[in-house]
């Protein structure tokens, strides 16, 4: 056991068992008792057997010779020879086993070794028993009595000389005495048989008692040896441990018998510190002013009151450096019982204390931002709620989540993201006022605990400052970064009486703020629970939708701007839930992307669209929207190949549509996936161009086949917006220069169609030429083109 100073302390010493404490099963080696190591005790017994192995063989040979002298003329030479050879073979085997146990005191005796050793006695007893039962039938009663004398000698010798193996001796004498009793009974010598029974009982009791005494003696010897080893180990370890020292003071609390190690801890030579006051030495500069640390005052009081003390921490000053010592001490008295000073042990625990303080800091603070972590925030929130309940005030919790932080992490790496988080934390901390504590919950999520809230308007003002301040540009590694912030708030105890309730409700408010686009503050409202429950139910239903065959595809035509002939269809997924009815794509698509269910849904859309497009004319393409989550899947390219192979659709008839958001995730992975798709012969269209993070570099590198102009620019141009007209003109010109086509989305009137045609767009898509329709209706368009604008 290791104490606080790193010194090994011995375990409580085991009690030496008294003879009466040992049960018979323990003496025989059939069980252990308490914490005693009986395997080790057997190891102390069996080396004694090795010393007697030869003598046992010799004695059995002599006694067997006496038996042969009595019965050889009656039993025959052959029978006697077989018996004697069997007995000698068993004894020879037993000798080898006993010799193999000669080193048992230096190792542990296994159960199998215990049984092998005992088997010698059992086998030997069986051979002797066979002779006792069989030979007397060939002899006289005098021969029988002579044989019984040999049995008595054999039994007595075994009991008193082979005490190291009581189990084997008990087995041996039981076998031969029972055989003798049987033979005596057969010879109608009942008095002798009873006498043999009494002899057996005495022999058994003697074996157990002698074995008990032997075992107790061996255990005591082992315990003494172990204690000596422990004492030697402790002394050696203490001598080698540079962190510990012995100290002693006299009645006046002056040092005496200063050890070299204690002098080293004081930073001075032994002769210099001998006789100096202990407190003066460790107080440093504070000795003159009397302004001691509290721990030093405590030590002085204990010395003054002559009290025992153990492992007290004392702040000392050694040569101007602050250190921490752990001291233990006890008063010493002379022969007459008079107080003579103190003696004790000490160690320098400065490093251990620094480590403990660091561990305590890490448990309560975030290592990246050095703000309070979730543990400290929840404690502060709990305290704020208790204060509010006690003084009839209010507390509040604001949860802050960064907008667009993931794009920074994905595009510039986690190191840049971590530096950005550190700057965010510094800005948040600068906004905190009285009774306000900010911390980091994890990732890009922060929280502010407000204790003793005076006005609800204070929350709105603080949230507005947070959104404004965190939305200002950041300079990180020569990058100018822009992220925003969304804030959700909950007030206690109105919005929750417990920490869990308030954090859950503030999180719901934060989700509501982000759901509307981010960059704003939203207070908690009870209706948010209903929204969260609805979202949860939708998610459960969405997970079952594909298995229930609730999804279907609708197709919206894309026409040539000049001829108005259908050139392709865009596949759009629709969900008719058995539990919730028809669900708008604007509602379930974001949910699918948040939960990554968009990956299996997108896989199904790809297969289904290719399968249904196979029934269209050869010149008609199908456009399939692909989520960024799908592009990041390492098997995306294989899924496209499988969809084409299963449907038999030619690759050039499949056009994959992606949005500019693919550039905000792992752009290299997305680019690699799209290039693999292009290598198959499929085309790639860039959807909603101009509404996100437009990147001309990626347009040039990826060689999109089509750029789709978003409907907002189409509607703006129809209303005469110069900016929208300029953007459409620029996109058309750029596409032509890069050998790409353009598609205008959201065309709903003839005037808009004519305008787009005049602006030079190649293809048009919108309600004017057809709403999204089931696959059967799309197929009918080819047989009746006049239905296109019906």
């Amino acid at each position: 056991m290791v104490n606080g100073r790193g010194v090994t302390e011995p375990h409580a010493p085991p009690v030496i068992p008294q003879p009466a404490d040992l049960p018979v099963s323990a003496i025989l080696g059939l069980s252990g008792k308490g914490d005693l190591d009986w395997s080790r005790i057997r190891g102390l017994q069996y080396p004694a057997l090795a010393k007697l192995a030869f003598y046992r063989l010799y004695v059995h040979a002599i006694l067997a010779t006496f038996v042969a002298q009595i019965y050889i003329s009656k039993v025959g030479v052959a029978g006697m020879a077989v018996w004697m050879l069997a007995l000698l073979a068993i004894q020879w085997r037993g000798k080898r086993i006993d010799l193999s146990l000669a080193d048992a005191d230096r190792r542990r005796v296994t159960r199998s070794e215990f049984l092998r050793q005992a088997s010698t006695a059992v086998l030997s007893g069986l051979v002797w028993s066979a002779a006792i039962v069989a030979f007397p039938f060939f002899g006289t009663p005098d021969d029988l009595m002579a044989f019984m004398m040999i049995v008595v000698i054999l039994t007595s010798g075994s009991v008193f000389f082979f005490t190291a193996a009581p189990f084997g001796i008990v087995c041996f004498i039981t076998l031969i005495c029972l055989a003798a009793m049987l033979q005596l009974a057969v010879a109608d010598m009942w008095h002798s048989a009873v006498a043999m029974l009494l002899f057996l009982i005495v022999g058994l009791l003697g074996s157990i008692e002698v074995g008990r005494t032997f075992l107790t003696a061996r255990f005591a010897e082992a315990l003494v040896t172990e204690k000596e080893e422990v004492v030697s180990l402790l002394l050696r370890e203490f001598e080698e441990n540079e962190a510990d020292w012995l100290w002693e003071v006299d009645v006046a609390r002056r040092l005496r018998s200063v050890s070299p190690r204690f002098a080293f801890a004081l930073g001075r030579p032994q002769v210099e510190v001998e006789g100096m006051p202990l407190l003066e030495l460790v107080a440093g500069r504070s000795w003159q002013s009397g302004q001691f640390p509290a721990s030093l005052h405590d030590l002085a009081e204990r010395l003054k009151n002559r009290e025992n003390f153990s492992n007290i921490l004392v702040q000392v000053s050694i040569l101007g450096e602050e250190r921490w010592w752990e001291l233990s001490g006890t008063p010493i008295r002379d022969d007459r019982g008079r107080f003579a000073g103190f003696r004790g042990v000490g160690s320098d625990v400065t490093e251990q204390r620094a480590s403990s303080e660091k561990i305590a800091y890490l448990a309560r603070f975030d290592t990246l931002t050095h703000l309070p972590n979730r543990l400290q925030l929840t404690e502060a929130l709990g305290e704020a709620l208790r204060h509010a309940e006690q003084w009839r005030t209010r507390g509040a919790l604001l949860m802050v989540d960064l907008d667009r932080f993931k794009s920074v992490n994905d595009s510039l790496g986690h190191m840049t993201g971590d530096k950005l988080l550190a700057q965010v934390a510094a800005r948040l901390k600068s906004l905190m006022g009285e009774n306000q504590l900010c911390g980091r919950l994890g990732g890009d999520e922060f929280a502010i605990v407000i204790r003793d809230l005076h006005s609800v308007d204070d929350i709105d003002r603080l949230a507005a400052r947070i959104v404004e301040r965190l939305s200002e540009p950041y300079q990180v590694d020569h990058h100018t970064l822009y992220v925003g912030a969304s804030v959700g708030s909950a007030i206690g105890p109105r919005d929750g009486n417990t920490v869990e309730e308030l954090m859950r409700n503030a999180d719901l408010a934060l989700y509501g703020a982000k759901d509307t686009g981010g960059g704003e503050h939203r207070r908690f409202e009870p209706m948010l629970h209903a929204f969260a429950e609805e979202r949860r139910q939708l998610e459960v239903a969405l997970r079952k939708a594909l298995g229930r065959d609730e999804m279907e595809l609708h197709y919206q035509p894309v026409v040539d701007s000049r001829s108005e002939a259908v050139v392709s269809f865009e596949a759009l997924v629709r969900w008719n839930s058995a539990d919730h009815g028809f669900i708008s794509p604007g509602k379930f698509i974001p949910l699918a992307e948040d939960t990554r269910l968009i990956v299996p849904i997108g896989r199904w859309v790809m297969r289904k669209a290719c399968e249904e497009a196979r029934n269209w004319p050869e010149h008609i393409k199908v456009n399939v929207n692909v989520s960024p989550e799908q592009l990041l899947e390492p098997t995306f390219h294989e899924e496209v190949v499988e969809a084409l192979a299963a449907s038999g659709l030619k690759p050039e008839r499949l056009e994959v549509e992606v949005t500019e958001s693919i550039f905000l995730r792992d752009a290299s992975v997305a680019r690699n996936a799209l290039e693999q798709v292009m290598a198959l012969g499929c085309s790639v269209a860039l959807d909603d161009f101009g509404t996100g993070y437009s990147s001309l570099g990626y347009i040039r590198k990826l060689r999109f086949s089509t750029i789709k102009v978003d409907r907002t620019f189409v509607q703006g141009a129809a209303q005469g917006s110069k900016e929208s007209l300029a953007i459409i003109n620029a996109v058309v010109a750029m596409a032509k220069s890069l050998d790409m086509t353009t598609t205008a989305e959201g065309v709903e009137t003839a005037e808009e169609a004519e305008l787009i045609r005049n602006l030079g767009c190649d293809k048009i898509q919108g309600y004017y030429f057809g709403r999204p329709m089931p696959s059967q209706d799309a197929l009918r368009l080819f047989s009746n083109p006049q239905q296109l604008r019906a």
Side-chain angles (χ1 to χ4, degrees), residues 255 258 261-268 273 281-282 318-319 325:
L255 293 174
V258 178
R261 195 169 300 150
F262 187 28
F264 178 80
L266 291 168
R268 303 187 183 192
V273 298
L281 281 172
V282 299
I318 305 299
L319 301 179
W325 285 0

Side-chain angles (χ1 to χ4, degrees), residues 158-209:
S158 299
V159 169
F160 293 105
F161 290 102
F162 294 93
T163 56
F167 178 72
I169 298 307
V170 165
C171 294
F172 178 73
I173 66 174
T174 300
L175 288 172
I176 64 174
C177 286
L178 288 176
M181 289 165 56
L182 176 63
Q183 183 55 248
L184 290 171
V186 170
D188 203 21
M189 298 180 180
W190 294 102
H191 292 90
S192 299
V194 172
M196 185 61 69
L197 174 62
L198 294 176
F199 181 74
L200 171 61
I201 294 173
V202 172
L204 291 176
L205 293 176
S207 297
I208 293 171
E209 289 305 314

Side-chain angles (χ1 to χ4, degrees), residues 309-329:
F309 53 90
S310 177
N311 299 334
I312 65 169
L313 286 176
V314 181
Q315 184 179 356
V316 299
S317 177
I318 305 299
L319 301 179
E321 180 186 3
E322 281 195 359
R323 309 288 295 178
W324 284 91
W325 285 0
E326 185 178 77
L327 297 176
S328 298

Side-chain angles (χ1 to χ4, degrees), residues 94-155:
K95 176 188 174 184
R96 295 182 61 186
I97 293 174
D98 290 347
L99 290 177
S100 70
L101 295 171
D103 63 341
D105 57 342
R106 297 188 297 276
R107 61 182 179 86
R108 302 181 70 85
V109 176
T110 65
R111 191 69 179 173
S112 62
E113 287 179 316
F114 171 77
L115 294 176
R116 285 178 64 230
Q117 198 284 326
S119 67
T120 299
V122 174
L123 293 174
S124 181
L126 291 173
V127 172
W128 274 104
S129 298
I132 293 169
V133 172
F135 289 177
F137 286 112
F138 300 96
T140 67
D142 292 338
D143 295 337
L144 175 60
M145 295 312 296
F147 203 169
M148 292 302 106
M149 291 297 297
I150 293 173
V151 170
V152 170
I153 294 171
L154 193 60
T155 302

Side-chain angles (χ1 to χ4, degrees), residues 524-542:
F524 170 75
E525 302 170 11
M527 60 182 292
L528 291 174
H529 272 300
F531 291 154
E533 179 59 21
E534 180 189 12
R535 176 184 170 88
R536 187 192 67 80
Q537 292 181 2
L538 277 181
E539 180 181 342
V540 171
L542 187 58

Side-chain angles (χ1 to χ4, degrees), residues 189-266:
M189 298 180 180
W190 294 102
H191 292 90
S192 299
V194 172
M196 185 61 69
L197 174 62
L198 294 176
F199 181 74
L200 171 61
I201 294 173
V202 172
L204 291 176
L205 293 176
S207 297
I208 293 171
E209 289 305 314
V210 173
R212 188 194 305 273
T213 304
F214 181 85
L215 186 58
T216 305
R218 297 289 80 74
F219 184 82
E221 291 175 3
L223 186 58
V224 170
T225 303
E226 182 181 348
K227 283 184 176 180
E228 292 176 352
E229 292 176 353
V230 170
V231 171
S232 299
L233 176 64
L234 287 175
L235 291 175
R236 184 167 61 252
E237 188 171 357
F238 192 83
E239 288 288 331
E240 296 173 355
N241 192 337
E242 296 183 0
D244 293 72
W245 61 81
L246 298 173
W247 62 272
E248 186 176 335
V249 295
D250 59 17
V251 177
R253 284 172 272 177
R254 297 179 180 274
L255 293 174
R256 67 185 181 194
S257 303
V258 178
S259 66
R261 195 169 300 150
F262 187 28
F264 178 80
L266 291 168

